[in-house]
Amino acid sequence: MLAASSVALQCASGAARHARERSLRIALAAAAALALAFLVGQGWVWAQFVAAGHFVASHPAASFFYLLTGLHGVHLAGGLVALGGTAAGVARDVPAEQSARRVALCATYWHFLFAVWLVLFALLASPPGVLVALGSAVGMHIH
């Protein structure tokens, strides 16, 4: 969902640069819908964890999972607020150059969030030995 949302925002950025209003609006709506779907999916995953007995305070690994995914969700929600402001500006017919700049900033932020999610996913899905090796590489001694 985040990858598709990021692609949609990249398409929106190109549409804004070339003043293709209809394509811009469609791409912004698609990016927002996909990001909302990601957040709903994350909520579903949290519900599955709770149903399985993995609560925030039940284990340090669970706390870490909720912390990382929760912070990412907050950043994504903040990005949706910025995206909403950008979409509102497009709807108010702000100058094309200003719209293009706003959409480009949103796209950059979105690409960053997607990259962060890829790193988080890789870390959360990696075996303990990888985490120990990474910790040792940065000077942490994990036992």
Side-chain angles (χ1 to χ4, degrees), residues 38-49:
F38 177 85
L39 287 175
V40 168
Q42 190 61 49
W44 179 80
V45 168
W46 279 18
Q48 297 301 308
F49 269 60

Side-chain angles (χ1 to χ4, degrees), residues 41-88:
Q42 190 61 49
W44 179 80
V45 168
W46 279 18
Q48 297 301 308
F49 269 60
V50 168
H54 302 292
F55 303 101
V56 172
S58 63
H59 189 274
S63 299
F64 190 65
F65 171 80
Y66 283 110
L67 174 70
L68 289 179
T69 58
L71 285 174
H72 186 262
V74 167
H75 284 103
L76 188 60
L80 278 168
V81 170
L83 183 58
T86 299

